[in-house]
Amino acid sequence: LNRLYSYSDIVLIGGTFEPFGGHSLIDPVRFSLPIILGESYNHQIPAVEILKKSNGCLIVSSNEKLKDQLNKLLADEELR
């Protein structure tokens, strides 16, 4: 995934939109990318809390709001 993150503008941690969790947040953070994750991030609570306190862009979204969150980031280069 690191190679893919290096080409990305936005990271979506897809596994967090289902109850089984998702990949580590550490890798996309290294690339200073905005991260969208779902509400099932239970095994990553410490990392999420640290990112919420930083100046990075971390968005926790429901399935219903995902499209709106992605559109918001895609439309606003400064926010990304």
Side-chain angles (χ1 to χ4, degrees), residues 1-13 23-33 35:
L1 283 176
N2 279 332
R3 180 173 275 165
L4 292 175
Y5 291 144
S6 71
Y7 297 108
S8 301
D9 292 321
I10 299 169
V11 173
L12 175 73
I13 308 292
H23 291 283
S24 170
L25 298 175
I26 301 304
D27 295 328
V29 167
R30 292 189 340 208
F31 293 97
S32 300
L33 296 168
I35 302 168

Side-chain angles (χ1 to χ4, degrees), residues 13 15-19 37-42 59-65:
I13 308 292
T16 60
F17 287 89
E18 297 297 327
L37 64 152
E39 298 170 311
S40 295
Y41 60 87
N42 296 344
I59 298 171
V60 178
S61 179
S62 65
N63 289 347
E64 296 79 24
K65 294 181 181 180

Side-chain angles (χ1 to χ4, degrees), residues 37-72:
L37 64 152
E39 298 170 311
S40 295
Y41 60 87
N42 296 344
H43 70 286
Q44 300 187 73
I45 291 173
V48 169
E49 293 303 317
I50 290 169
L51 288 172
K52 283 182 179 179
K53 292 177 184 176
S54 75
N55 291 332
C57 183
L58 175 71
I59 298 171
V60 178
S61 179
S62 65
N63 289 347
E64 296 79 24
K65 294 181 181 180
L66 178 59
K67 181 179 175 184
D68 292 335
Q69 296 293 352
L70 281 170
N71 285 333
K72 181 178 176 181

